[in-house]
Amino acid sequence: MFFAVAGCVDYEAAVDLEADGSGRLVVHYSSKDYFTIFDSDWSWEHGKEKRVPPEDLAEYEYRFTKPGQRVVDVRAEDRGGLHHTYIVIEFDDVNELQLDGVSEYQTFSFRDEYEKLYFRSVITPPERDIIEEGKFLLEKQKLKGHYYTLRVRMPARVMSSDGVVEDDGRTVRWMYPMEEVAGGEPIIMTATCPKPRTVAGVPLNTIIIVLIAVAALTFVVGVVAIIINLIRKKKRK
């Protein structure tokens, strides 16, 4: 996606992962102008970038709807002098996640091994000989001052990662200058967390919270019942 984007763009992706590999992805582009990430062929043919108005967003839904993944929201807005585009995707398996313009450059993997969950994402820029050297250097200049950011919320507290673990203990953040992402060397991002304990497929923490809530409610009802009985006894006397 980083190599198909026209113009100077910041790219952010937020992934919320469940223990079974399903989850939700929010992609956010911000730039000073309208753009489309699906303009590679058009640009090569016409020798310039293709711009699209903010309301022309159906292409995103069409391109990102695949077996096992659904586009649930696409929107654009102008804010703070920038044009922002958001695409929200729900997926059944992050290992099978397909995003036109990015799948050939970035992969996601998530596996369960020895009661631990391992997340890994690799960005592999295109081979240098595919791009004319002059054009490549020009594109790198345009990318300066712009960033790629990935946030992943793991199903449990993070045990280890090469990214920055945020205050909630479950979210990991990676951030790289765009020219580094396009620089030719693979970028690898990893995170590990314990596999959440479940009972009949329901997380143990959820069961504990429900049990505590039921116990608290039972206690309150019992106290109220005792108070009502005491009031009735006083009235009888």
Side-chain angles (χ1 to χ4, degrees):
M1 188 171 298
F2 329 103
F3 311 104
V5 170
C8 301
V9 178
D10 288 287
Y11 172 92
E12 297 180 354
V15 182
D16 196 345
L17 278 175
E18 301 294 338
D20 63 358
S22 64
R24 182 183 179 95
L25 164 68
V26 179
V27 175
H28 171 208
Y29 305 98
S30 57
S31 70
K32 291 183 178 179
D33 203 349
Y34 306 142
F35 66 92
T36 175
I37 65 170
F38 309 114
D39 63 351
S40 299
D41 295 337
W42 192 93
S43 294
W44 279 100
E45 180 181 350
H46 296 275
K48 58 182 179 180
E49 298 170 353
K50 178 183 178 183
R51 304 293 184 180
V52 294
E55 65 271 13
D56 187 12
L57 299 171
E59 184 75 0
Y60 289 96
E61 184 171 0
Y62 171 76
R63 293 296 188 101
F64 289 160
T65 299
K66 308 283 184 182
Q69 65 187 58
R70 302 155 297 283
V71 176
V72 296
D73 186 30
V74 183
R75 60 189 175 86
E77 64 182 16
D78 292 310
R79 187 180 72 253
L82 296 174
H83 181 66
H84 299 267
T85 303
Y86 299 87
I87 305 117
V88 183
I89 301 168
E90 292 180 349
F91 54 85
D92 298 333
D93 185 355
V94 70
N95 296 286
E96 304 296 330
L97 189 59
Q98 298 180 54
L99 305 176
D100 281 8
V102 67
S103 295
E104 65 268 43
Y105 303 122
Q106 183 171 19
T107 59
F108 298 94
S109 64
F110 190 61
R111 72 181 194 277
D112 175 356
E113 190 174 306
Y114 302 114
E115 297 302 312
K116 293 180 182 179
L117 298 174
Y118 296 85
F119 170 83
R120 187 172 190 263
S121 183
V122 180
I123 300 173
T124 307
E127 293 293 333
R128 184 66 58 84
D129 58 6
I130 296 177
I131 308 172
E132 296 177 12
E133 187 68 19
K135 181 178 179 181
F136 175 78
L137 294 175
L138 177 62
E139 289 300 319
K140 281 194 71 174
Q141 284 295 117
K142 291 171 65 178
L143 292 174
K144 283 191 173 181
H146 297 274
Y147 293 88
Y148 162 86
T149 304
L150 174 64
R151 281 184 173 85
V152 176
R153 187 171 187 267
M154 299 289 282
R157 195 169 189 84
V158 175
M159 299 171 61
S160 62
S161 175
D162 53 6
V164 177
V165 180
E166 298 189 345
D167 291 342
D168 65 356
R170 292 176 57 182
T171 303
V172 185
R173 182 182 76 254
W174 297 268
M175 186 174 183
Y176 299 96
M178 275 292 196
E179 67 266 28
E180 181 179 339
V181 174
E185 295 297 325
I187 291 177
I188 301 173
M189 296 161 280
T190 62
T192 306
C193 75
K195 183 179 179 181
R197 296 181 180 180
T198 63
V199 177
V202 180
L204 186 60
N205 288 344
T206 301
I207 293 175
I208 292 173
I209 291 172
V210 171
L211 290 176
I212 292 174
V214 170
L217 180 61
T218 302
F219 175 77
V220 171
V221 171
V223 170
V224 171
I226 291 172
I227 293 173
I228 291 174
N229 285 333
L230 289 174
I231 294 173
R232 286 176 177 174
K233 287 180 180 180
K234 286 184 178 180
K235 286 182 177 180
R236 287 172 185 172
K237 292 179 180 180

